[in-house]
């Protein structure tokens, strides 16, 4: 089992449909790894050194090597693959759409509205993810020492706030992060009016864009 590879970035190819192939040269050998778009954008330029955490999979007798920027991303990718109907492409789409803390939080809190923002993830798949992974990710989070913020609007308010912000063009990851910041830093009560949550979230997002 290959746990990780550390070598020189030889090439990064975008092969379409959000699929990126990283060629990493390690001791004179070139390894092709499929990596999330988020990681592809964070890699150093050609010739730079990178450490990539890997997952090896054989599907229909074709070997594939997947690469991730941290052990945590690889762990969650493996958990996602364990859910019925979720393949590597869907798991990578989830990791690309949401930052790791937001993805874990969305599954643990059964935040279907955020999960369905990932390409290819429908409501039934999102519900299945929450049902099958909630307890596993709670345990994984404890063992990995992985902190996930718990702030945000009350469940009855959350959907309306999220749908409004998403309709305004913000990404799922931006919305999730903004709501946590508003809850933790500003201290807006969970049961505050929908309009107050939206106003504070937009104010935070606007300040982030202006920096």
């Amino acid at each position: 089992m290959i746990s990780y590879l550390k070598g020189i970035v030889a090439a990064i190819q975008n092969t379409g449909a959000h699929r990126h192939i990283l060629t990493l040269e390690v001791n004179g050998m070139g390894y092709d790894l499929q990596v999330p778009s988020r990681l592809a954008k964070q890699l150093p330029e050609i010739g730079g050194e990178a450490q990539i955490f890997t997952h090896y999979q054989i599907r229909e007798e074709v070997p594939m090597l997947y690469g991730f920027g941290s052990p945590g991303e690889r762990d969650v990718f493996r958990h996602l693959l364990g859910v019925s109907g979720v393949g590597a492409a869907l798991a990578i789409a989830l990791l690309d759409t949401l930052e790791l803390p937001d993805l874990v939080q969305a599954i643990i809190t059964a935040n279907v509205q955020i999960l369905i923002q990932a390409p290819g993830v429908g409501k039934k798949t999102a519900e299945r993810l929450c049902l099958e992974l909630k307890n596993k990710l709670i345990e994984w989070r404890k063992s990995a020492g992985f902190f996930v913020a718990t702030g945000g609007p009350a469940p009855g308010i959350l959907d309306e706030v999220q749908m409004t912000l998403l309709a305004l063009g913000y990404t799922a990851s931006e919305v999730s992060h903004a709501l946590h910041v508003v809850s933790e830093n500003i201290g807006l009560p969970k049961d505050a009016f929908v309009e107050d949550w939206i106003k504070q979230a937009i104010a935070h997002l606007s300040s982030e864009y202006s920096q």
Side-chain angles (χ1 to χ4, degrees), residues 10 19 61 63 88 95 107 133 153 157 160 164 166 200 207 211:
R19 188 167 181 251
E61 299 184 359
L95 288 167
I107 293 173
L133 291 185
I157 299 171
E160 189 172 348
T164 300
L166 291 167
Q200 293 292 348
S207 68
Q211 292 179 4

Side-chain angles (χ1 to χ4, degrees), residues 125-206:
T125 299
E127 291 173 344
R128 193 183 310 122
L129 284 166
C130 299
L131 180 64
E132 296 188 23
L133 291 185
K134 177 180 179 179
N135 292 334
K136 292 180 181 178
L137 288 183
I138 288 174
E139 290 303 314
W140 170 79
R141 184 180 64 181
K142 292 176 182 177
S143 63
F146 190 82
F147 173 75
V148 177
T150 57
I157 299 171
L158 181 62
D159 283 351
E160 189 172 348
V161 173
Q162 288 177 334
M163 285 190 290
T164 300
L165 294 172
L166 291 167
L168 290 173
Y170 297 109
T171 67
S173 187
E174 288 171 336
V175 170
S176 181
H177 178 70
L179 295 181
H180 289 316
V181 169
V182 171
S183 176
E184 300 292 329
N185 296 355
I186 298 177
L188 193 65
K190 288 180 176 291
D191 58 353
F193 290 116
V194 169
E195 293 79 7
D196 291 334
W197 276 102
I198 294 172
K199 180 180 177 181
Q200 293 292 348
I202 291 176
H204 169 72
L205 290 164
S206 297

